[in-house]
Amino acid sequence: MQKHMSYLQKHPSITRSRVNNFINDNQWKDVNIQAVLYDMRVGGEPHVKLEVWSAPGQDRPTFKHAVKQHFKPAKVGQVFGPSWTTHWFRVTATIPESFAGKKALFMFDTNSEAMVWSADGEPILGLTGGNGGERHVDYLLAKCAAAKEPPRTFYVEMACNGLFGNGDYHVHPQDRAIYYRLSSAEIVAPNESAWELFHDLEVIVEMANRLSQDSPRSWQALTAANDIVNVFEHSDPATIEPAREIARRFLDCKASEATHSVFAIGNCHIDTAWLWPFAETKRKAARSWATQLYLMEDYPEYRFAASQAQQFQWLLENYPSLFKRVQKKAKDGQFVPIGGTWVEMDCNLPSGESLVRQFLLGQRFFKQHFGEYCDVFWLPDTFGYSSQLPQIVRLSGAKYFFTQKLSWNNINKFPHTTFRWIGLDGSHVLCHMSPAETYGAQCRPGELIDSVKRHKDIAYTNDSLYLYGNGDGGGGPLRAMLERLRRMQDVDGLPRVKQAHPRDFYKHVEENARELVSWKGELYFELHRGTYTSQSNNKRWNRQSEFLLRDAEMLCTVAKMRSRGDGFEYPSDEFTRLWRL
């Protein structure tokens, strides 16, 4: 008797299309999983009252100043701008009685960046509007609403810019005349079981798509996803739990002991200066880090790393209560200050003395405010690496180095992932470049699969570091990323994942790697060429400033010695301020 291949195996592309359409927000959203993600939603008065005050020009006023101003009625559909302006909303939200027993979220989408503030002036979390992958616009009003909830008043500080400034930076300079529309301001009740199923499916469907078709696990994933689609009926909520049971059976299969290990750490790389003014960088850090503190309350396993002492200093000066919360979470081990430098600096143009000052100022700050020096030099996004860095890193008290950019070389691919980098004097640091080849991973199965495929030193160490979270313009990890990561922590077909301090990864490699190769000299980056040549004035004034600071310090030292302690005070605070610039 002739045996025939199953329809699913004979035509897998049709089934893959089916399960992908089941989770996507597309033309099928009225009948797929998207149709049941929210049980209820209300907007407008009496449930949502909106008032707004627009700051003059490009002022970025404090909370205390803003709340004293005259607020006018606002409504959904209203536009605000132009670029770089700030608008403060006073929101009064009243959860309806019909939400009793349900979680209640406030959804506020300005299609720009924003910050939610409590009525007493505490920054709560950042918001990112629009329809991109960075979108998060929800703020928790009640975990379980009572039958009669009192009105809640809070504020939202709207910034008229996106994560990447204003306009498409690939095409033209920043646009100063962009206006942003308030597209939603409503209270919603999410269907939590439906959301759990949605996150299950995100993992299962991508495993079906990305695992090799030679892998039985790929077919198991596709079968499980297809079975879920068969069971689910959008008009019958009772079908969600049987669908979840199918997902659980698939996800409960554990990875083998010999599988690749991934050490995961959240981050939100923020360029101190790029497509926005310094004043906006200060707000980006506050928005991004407040969001991560907010998520840590629901995900105790979550670890988040942030570098650049300058951004911590701005937080201390402008958001002191938020800075104290960061310190507390750092003490608890969830918020990880890292890097050891004042900013994530360029490493091609600065002199050796400038590089030394980066570490001197950075390490002093982290020791003063967090009680310890950083032992991981953290530089995911720079345009090349001077051969003198290993020596300076070791002298600063650090001995590990993380970067990412070399994986983006467009001609000669760098041949290593985990290796010892040896400097001019023979000093060495343990270096690792995430084989996921990004510092902004999205917690997707495909990225974990790539962490194995692209690991160039897997014969010596079966471990890698995995950086996830929206970055460059800040933002950081989102709730959906943490949900997917929970599901992928120990599932057959993927590497085993655990949230960890980067230091734990490097120590593990030191203790378990069989042998590691060495790289001597400069790490040359082959992509962002011409960025210095086209900005020759920056090169000139940087070098001239270095010479002037050296001369001024030498002359002041001589003056102090000759004064014999009589009359001349060495201006150490002013020199510190100038080096920080």
Side-chain angles (χ1 to χ4, degrees):
M1 180 177 179
Q2 186 178 6
K3 293 183 178 180
H4 296 282
M5 186 180 295
S6 71
Y7 185 85
L8 182 146
Q9 196 168 354
K10 186 177 181 181
H11 302 288
S13 61
I14 294 176
T15 306
R16 287 196 178 91
S17 176
R18 182 182 190 229
V19 298
N20 278 293
N21 281 327
F22 182 71
I23 62 175
N24 289 337
D25 185 6
N26 55 22
Q27 70 264 37
W28 309 109
K29 64 182 179 181
D30 292 333
V31 294
N32 66 14
I33 188 69
Q34 297 287 332
V36 297
L37 293 178
Y38 296 99
D39 289 336
M40 289 181 276
R41 60 178 71 227
V42 296
E45 297 193 43
H47 306 299
V48 178
K49 179 182 178 182
L50 298 176
E51 301 168 280
V52 67
W53 170 71
S54 298
Q58 294 186 11
D59 289 355
R60 294 172 173 83
T62 64
F63 175 87
K64 288 183 178 179
H65 177 81
V67 297
K68 295 176 182 177
Q69 307 309 307
H70 177 65
F71 283 71
K72 299 178 180 180
K75 61 182 180 180
V76 172
Q78 197 168 342
V79 294
F80 298 90
S83 307
W84 308 120
T85 56
T86 299
H87 308 269
W88 282 82
F89 291 86
R90 182 163 57 210
V91 181
T92 304
T94 305
I95 302 172
E97 292 184 13
S98 58
F99 278 53
K102 296 180 178 294
K103 178 185 284 189
L105 302 176
F106 181 66
M107 306 280 279
F108 193 77
D109 188 355
T110 61
N111 289 282
S112 69
E113 290 195 86
M115 170 84 94
V116 177
W117 294 76
S118 68
D120 57 1
E122 187 66 25
I124 300 175
L125 83 158
L127 303 177
T128 304
N131 296 314
E134 307 87 3
R135 174 184 170 85
H136 64 106
V137 297
D138 55 287
Y139 164 51
L140 179 66
L141 297 178
K143 287 187 177 181
C144 182
K148 290 190 176 181
E149 289 279 355
R152 291 165 167 79
T153 297
F154 52 93
Y155 293 83
V156 180
E157 176 190 17
M158 174 188 179
C160 282
N161 56 266
L163 283 181
F164 294 92
N166 284 289
D168 186 350
Y169 68 92
H170 293 102
V171 178
H172 53 70
Q174 294 291 287
D175 190 334
R176 299 186 179 276
I178 292 180
Y179 286 75
Y180 294 85
R181 182 179 301 276
L182 176 59
S183 58
S184 67
E186 56 187 352
I187 301 171
V188 302
N191 184 323
E192 296 186 72
S193 294
W195 275 104
E196 294 286 345
L197 177 59
F198 175 75
H199 294 309
D200 292 343
L201 276 164
E202 284 190 299
V203 172
I204 296 170
V205 170
E206 184 155 334
M207 287 181 68
N209 290 337
R210 287 298 309 274
L211 287 171
S212 170
Q213 290 195 29
D214 295 333
S215 164
R217 196 63 173 152
S218 172
W219 292 106
Q220 292 167 14
L222 187 58
T223 300
N226 194 55
D227 289 346
I228 289 171
V229 178
N230 289 339
V231 166
F232 176 85
E233 173 53 56
H234 76 278
S235 61
D236 184 3
T239 61
I240 294 176
E241 187 52 38
R244 284 219 67 207
E245 180 56 34
I246 296 170
R248 276 191 289 268
R249 286 199 299 268
F250 175 84
L251 295 171
D252 282 349
C253 293
K254 304 303 182 185
S256 72
E257 289 298 318
T259 195
H260 187 77
S261 293
V262 170
F263 292 69
I265 181 72
N267 81 117
C268 63
H269 171 63
I270 303 174
D271 286 313
T272 299
W274 188 26
L275 301 173
W276 46 84
F278 279 134
E280 201 56 45
T281 309
K282 299 174 184 179
R283 297 203 296 188
K284 280 178 173 290
R287 288 190 291 258
S288 301
W289 296 354
T291 300
Q292 306 319 310
L293 298 180
Y294 183 81
L295 290 172
M296 287 173 189
E297 298 304 315
D298 291 334
Y299 300 89
E301 75 278 14
Y302 177 35
R303 300 291 181 270
F304 172 81
S307 63
Q308 307 194 78
Q310 172 65 87
Q311 293 179 12
F312 283 90
Q313 179 69 38
W314 283 333
L315 199 73
L316 174 62
E317 294 169 353
N318 299 298
Y319 304 86
S321 63
L322 181 56
F323 185 81
K324 289 180 180 178
R325 288 160 53 199
V326 166
Q327 286 180 308
K328 182 180 183 304
K329 285 298 184 181
K331 188 175 181 180
D332 294 342
Q334 283 191 271
F335 199 108
V336 181
I338 203 166
T341 55
W342 189 247
V343 297
E344 290 182 10
M345 67 286 193
D346 174 68
C347 294
N348 285 322
L349 295 188
S351 66
E353 182 62 28
S354 290
L355 295 175
V356 167
R357 299 301 179 111
Q358 282 282 349
F359 285 94
L360 180 66
L361 294 171
Q363 291 284 44
R364 279 180 178 173
F365 182 92
F366 290 120
K367 177 65 173 177
Q368 177 184 353
H369 294 286
F370 296 97
E372 63 180 11
Y373 297 118
C374 300
D375 52 7
V376 180
F377 174 36
W378 190 263
L379 196 62
D381 183 19
T382 198
F383 297 177
Y385 311 85
S386 165
S387 56
Q388 61 191 321
L389 275 171
Q391 178 184 10
I392 297 172
V393 171
R394 292 305 295 258
L395 290 173
S396 77
K399 59 178 180 176
Y400 308 127
F401 176 39
F402 176 82
T403 187
Q404 184 58 61
K405 282 284 195 177
L406 290 189
S407 66
W408 299 358
N409 279 9
N410 62 358
I411 296 178
N412 300 293
K413 293 296 183 183
F414 192 75
H416 302 299
T417 296
T418 306
F419 59 98
R420 298 194 183 280
W421 183 22
I422 301 176
L424 294 173
D425 72 330
S427 298
H428 64 82
V429 292
L430 178 57
C431 180
H432 178 76
M433 294 186 290
S434 171
E437 297 189 356
T438 179
Y439 49 80
Q442 301 293 298
C443 297
R444 299 282 184 181
E447 295 163 343
L448 298 183
I449 294 167
D450 289 340
S451 292
V452 180
K453 289 183 176 179
R454 297 172 180 170
H455 198 304
K456 300 180 179 69
D457 297 288
I458 204 165
Y460 309 117
T461 170
N462 193 27
D463 310 281
S464 62
L465 199 56
Y466 179 74
L467 276 65
Y468 64 93
N470 296 314
D472 288 337
L478 305 180
R479 186 176 298 274
M481 297 181 194
L482 296 174
E483 289 290 340
R484 291 192 292 269
L485 207 59
R486 275 186 172 178
R487 287 157 174 79
M488 297 188 296
Q489 63 182 349
D490 190 5
V491 59
D492 186 30
L494 297 177
R496 187 176 285 110
V497 185
K498 68 175 181 178
Q499 304 250 21
H501 191 302
R503 178 196 299 131
D504 298 339
F505 163 76
Y506 285 98
K507 285 185 176 179
H508 178 82
V509 170
E510 282 185 322
E511 294 168 0
N512 294 280
R514 289 178 47 244
E515 57 184 283
L516 292 174
V517 298
S518 297
W519 182 275
K520 296 182 179 180
E522 179 186 10
L523 297 176
Y524 180 65
F525 180 48
E526 299 176 355
L527 187 60
H528 297 326
R529 296 180 180 84
T531 54
Y532 306 107
T533 304
S534 63
Q535 301 294 325
S536 57
N537 281 336
N538 287 1
K539 296 171 68 174
R540 176 186 179 189
W541 294 116
N542 178 75
R543 184 67 76 232
Q544 186 164 339
S545 296
E546 290 176 335
F547 287 154
L548 289 171
L549 271 171
R550 179 200 62 184
D551 294 348
E553 285 184 326
M554 291 177 62
L555 290 171
C556 286
T557 300
V558 172
K560 178 64 177 177
M561 294 174 64
R562 293 177 69 89
S563 69
R564 303 176 186 273
D566 188 23
F568 181 79
E569 289 294 328
Y570 186 86
S572 57
D573 290 345
E574 179 63 9
F575 280 130
T576 297
R577 185 187 72 83
L578 292 171
W579 275 111
R580 286 177 172 180
L581 291 176

